[in-house]
Amino acid sequence: MTVHEGASVVRLRGDLGEDSAPGLAQALATAMTQGASRTVVDLSEAQFADSSVLHALLDARNAHKAAGVALVLAGPLQVAVHRLFEVTGTAAAFRMTDSLKTALTC
């Protein structure tokens, strides 16, 4: 996690599965407490994500909302990651942008 332009940024890379979800959940919980007005999850380098990662993101969305901290997902999303949100019908549950730059300013 890094802080960039007043936002906590969590970057995800590669194939993300069950082994990645606990670390992601911890990173998102830590980001929420850093005092920034938003947490940005940069998914642009994630090649694949499974339902355990989606579950961690949904839990983080709820926690961020309760804390008054925006959670924004930044792309562009790879096909497999985009498909996860599309097939599960969860895309509308998140604020998504097409780039990290846009996510930092929206």
Side-chain angles (χ1 to χ4, degrees):
M1 181 190 64
T2 60
V3 176
H4 186 73
E5 295 184 23
S8 297
V9 178
V10 177
R11 288 187 170 89
L12 303 178
R13 295 181 178 99
D15 290 340
L16 307 166
E18 189 175 350
D19 294 341
S20 306
L24 172 60
Q26 181 60 48
L28 292 170
T30 300
M32 186 177 64
T33 65
Q34 296 301 305
S37 62
R38 80 181 65 220
T39 298
V40 176
V41 181
D42 182 357
L43 292 165
S44 63
E45 294 183 29
Q47 300 300 314
F48 173 83
D50 73 5
S51 62
S52 62
V53 172
L54 177 60
H55 185 76
L57 290 170
L58 288 166
D59 285 349
R61 180 204 60 170
N62 294 338
H64 276 69
K65 185 175 182 179
V69 178
L71 179 67
V72 183
L73 306 184
L77 300 180
Q78 301 297 319
V79 172
V81 177
H82 177 74
R83 190 172 301 136
L84 173 67
F85 291 105
E86 185 178 272
V87 168
T88 60
T90 55
F94 295 97
R95 184 185 304 174
M96 293 189 179
T97 65
D98 60 354
S99 70
L100 178 59
K101 181 178 179 180
T102 303
L104 292 171
T105 60
C106 71

